[in-house]
Amino acid sequence: MKAKKKKRVPKGAKVIQSNSVIPGNRLFGLVSLAAALVIAALAHPAPVRAETGVTSEAIVFGQSACFTGPNRNLGLYYRAGILSAFEELNRAGGINGRTLRLLSLDDGYEPEQAAANAERFAAENDVFAVIGGVGTPTAKRIAPVLRSADIPFVGPFTGADFLRNFDRFPNVVNLRAAYLDEVVTMVDYIVNDLGKNRFGVIYQDDSFGRSVLKNFQIALEAHDLPILAKTAHSRNTHAVHAGLFMISKADLDAILIVGSYAANSEIINLSHSLGHDYIVANLSFVLSQELKMMVENRSERILVTEVIPDPNSNSSRIARRFRNALRPEYGQAESVATLVNEVAFEGYILGRYVIDVLERMGGELTREHFLSVALSPEKVMLDDWSLEFPPGTNTGSTYIRLTNLGE
C-alpha cells in the first residue's frame, strides 16, 4: 500500500484548525492546541484533496497570522471575524453544498515564520487562497511566496504601499485603505483643525514603521512641515521608553506612534506620567479597543484612524449582522462583547467578501477566476458596505474614520 503523504507544518509553527472550538476561553495564548487538532480531525475527516483546495465537501483557505506573542489579539480577533462570516454561511448550506474552512498557522508577527508558513501553503497546495494575514513585515515575506505559487493573498491587515503595486503583486487583493490615506487624514486634521505644526514620530523599526515614516514625510511636506524628531524601536518589544525620552528634547505639539497596541500604550502612558501634553496619533493597526483598555488616561488628544465603520453602530446593517454572527469560541473569548471591535469586524468583512466572490464565480472554482472576479471593477455591496476596485488596481476601499480615546 502506498504511504500517504504527511502534511508538512513549518518548524515552530502552531496550527489552529478552523470550524472547531479551541479549548480554553481566555484571550492569552493558545491552550491545548494538540487536543484541538484531535477534536477537529475526529469531527471533520480529511476529504479527498484537490490541488486548489477545493473538494466536493469544502473550500479550504489558509491563514498566517499572530496568535501568540504580545500582539496575539490582532490575529485572534481577525480570525474570529472571518470564522463568523464562514460559519454564518456554513449554517445556511455553504457554497453549493461546500463548507468553507480556514487553516490558520501562527507566525507570532515574525517575518521568518510567516515566510515558512507561506512556503508550507505553496508546497502542500491544499488551500484555495490565503486570507487574513496580519502586519506589514509578515506580508512582505508572504506575498512573494504566494505570487510565485499563483496563490491569491486576500485581505492582509496592513495598509502598506508595496501591496498596492498591482503590477508587482497581481495576486493580492486589498480591502482596506492605505496607510498613506490614514496618515494624510491624521496630519490634515492636526494641522487644519487643531492648529498644531511641530511633529515627531516614534516608529517600529521594520518595513511597517519605515513605510509609514515615508507616508508621514509626504503628508507633512504637503503642509511645508518637517519631522522635528524621530526615533525607532524593535518589533514585538516592550523596550520603548528610550524613544520617548529622545524625542522629548524637541518642543513638539504632536507625535505619530507607528506600532501595535502593546508598544503604543506603553509610550502613551509614559508620556502622560512625564507630564507631556502631546497630541498622540495612532493608525488602525493599533487595535483601538485594546489600546483603550491599556491606556491609563484616555483623552480626546489620543487619536486613532479606523478603516471601517463603528462595529457598535446600530444604523449600519453590516455591523448589526456582524454582531449577530459572532460566537465567543471563534476568538477564544469569554463573551461576544469582547469580540465586538474593529479588527474582528474587518475580519468579518473579509469573510463576507470572499463569500461574495465565490458566489459570483459560478461553477468555475479556479484561483485565476477567483482573482478575475475579485478585482472586477463593479461595485460590490455587502449589506450597506461597499467595495470597488478601479481598473488596474487591487485596493477596494479608501474609507477613513478619525476617532479619539475620549469618545
Side-chain angles (χ1 to χ4, degrees), residues 268-290:
I268 292 169
N269 288 336
L270 178 61
S271 174
H272 183 268
S273 69
L274 294 175
H276 297 305
D277 199 24
Y278 301 130
I279 301 296
V280 182
N282 304 267
L283 301 182
S284 59
F285 186 76
V286 81
L287 177 45
S288 54
Q289 175 180 277
E290 294 295 309

Side-chain angles (χ1 to χ4, degrees), residues 33-236:
L33 284 170
L37 287 174
V38 171
I39 292 171
L42 292 174
H44 300 286
V48 176
R49 190 178 73 186
E51 64 176 4
T52 58
V54 179
T55 73
S56 60
E57 298 177 2
I59 305 173
V60 183
F61 293 86
Q63 180 188 27
S64 177
C66 49
F67 303 110
T68 57
N71 302 298
R72 59 189 173 272
N73 284 350
L74 286 168
L76 289 170
Y77 291 160
Y78 206 32
R79 179 176 181 271
I82 297 169
L83 287 182
S84 296
F86 279 13
E87 288 302 300
E88 183 180 47
L89 177 78
N90 290 343
R91 289 191 294 270
I95 298 290
N96 296 324
R98 293 182 175 95
T99 60
L100 301 189
R101 299 183 185 174
L102 183 66
L103 174 63
S104 298
L105 300 181
D106 179 30
D107 59 38
Y109 192 38
E110 291 294 349
E112 291 298 326
Q113 189 60 58
N117 291 348
E119 288 164 2
R120 177 258 177 240
F121 288 132
E124 293 293 338
N125 200 30
D126 58 352
V127 297
F128 184 63
V130 174
I131 66 176
V134 173
T136 301
T138 47
K140 193 167 186 177
R141 298 297 301 275
I142 292 170
V145 175
L146 300 183
R147 178 193 57 202
S148 297
D150 294 321
I151 299 175
F153 185 30
V154 187
F157 189 80
T158 169
D161 293 337
F162 74 91
L163 289 172
R164 283 148 179 77
N165 185 334
F166 180 60
D167 292 332
R168 182 182 176 193
F169 290 112
N171 64 314
V172 172
V173 182
N174 299 292
L175 302 187
R176 57 169 20 235
Y179 284 143
L180 178 59
D181 298 324
E182 295 189 54
V183 173
V184 167
T185 298
M186 189 76 77
V187 168
D188 286 352
Y189 174 74
I190 294 172
V191 174
N192 297 332
D193 292 65
L194 301 183
K196 307 299 183 182
N197 57 21
R198 298 184 61 82
F199 287 85
V201 59
I202 302 175
Y203 64 96
Q204 187 170 290
D205 192 13
D206 60 11
S207 55
F208 170 38
R210 291 188 290 272
S211 174
V212 175
L213 178 62
K214 292 178 182 178
N215 296 154
F216 195 36
Q217 291 169 329
I218 292 170
L220 289 175
E221 285 171 2
H223 295 275
D224 294 322
L225 295 172
I227 297 175
L228 297 176
K230 63 181 179 181
T231 186
H233 60 81
S234 299
R235 179 182 57 253
N236 277 341

Side-chain angles (χ1 to χ4, degrees), residues 27-28 69-74 77 237-238 240-241 259-273 282 285-299 302 304 405:
L27 286 169
F28 306 106
N71 302 298
R72 59 189 173 272
N73 284 350
L74 286 168
Y77 291 160
T237 183
H238 291 279
V240 295
H241 295 175
S260 59
Y261 59 87
N264 286 32
S265 61
E266 290 203 26
I267 294 170
I268 292 169
N269 288 336
L270 178 61
S271 174
H272 183 268
S273 69
N282 304 267
F285 186 76
V286 81
L287 177 45
S288 54
Q289 175 180 277
E290 294 295 309
L291 186 69
K292 185 175 289 189
M293 289 192 295
M294 298 175 79
V295 166
E296 295 165 359
N297 296 91
R298 303 169 190 169
S299 164
I302 304 172
V304 182
L405 295 197

